[in-house]
Amino acid sequence: LNVIDLYSRKCLGSVVSLHFNGRVRDECLQTETFRTLEEAQLKISCWKKDYNSVRLHTSLKDQTPDKVWQQFPEIWKGGMS
């Protein structure tokens, strides 16, 4: 990898993180009331599982993120940060 590849990867990772964090906030955190830490952890975990394993994403050509990660594991090796 050269410097441009590393920079591009870091930028892409930032964009993905910002998008995901916005989704969590809009679809989960602002729509739920959590009475305990355990309840928050459970609901967020369920939301995350649905987001990554069940929900189809138009930006991924109507596939789940888990399915895409299985198809292109070389993209995710070593992380994107």
Side-chain angles (χ1 to χ4, degrees):
L1 291 175
N2 61 36
V3 173
I4 293 174
D5 289 336
L6 291 173
Y7 178 76
S8 296
R9 233 180 207 205
K10 187 159 186 79
C11 289
L12 177 60
S14 295
V15 169
V16 170
S17 295
L18 287 172
H19 178 75
F20 180 76
N21 290 343
R23 289 285 187 179
V24 170
R25 184 182 57 249
D26 294 344
E27 297 178 11
C28 185
L29 299 178
Q30 292 181 346
T31 61
E32 297 284 348
T33 301
F34 307 112
R35 292 181 295 258
T36 66
L37 177 60
E38 291 78 19
E39 181 182 7
Q41 290 171 330
L42 178 63
K43 286 184 177 183
I44 292 168
S45 177
C46 289
W47 182 89
K48 184 179 164 188
K49 182 176 173 118
D50 178 70
Y51 184 87
N52 287 319
S53 303
V54 178
R55 187 186 307 184
L56 302 178
H57 297 249
T58 56
S59 63
L60 300 175
K61 298 183 180 178
D62 293 323
Q63 297 182 85
T64 67
D66 285 349
K67 183 70 170 176
V68 172
W69 293 334
Q70 290 170 2
Q71 293 172 351
F72 302 102
E74 68 278 359
I75 293 173
W76 307 107
K77 285 184 182 169
M80 292 186 49
S81 55

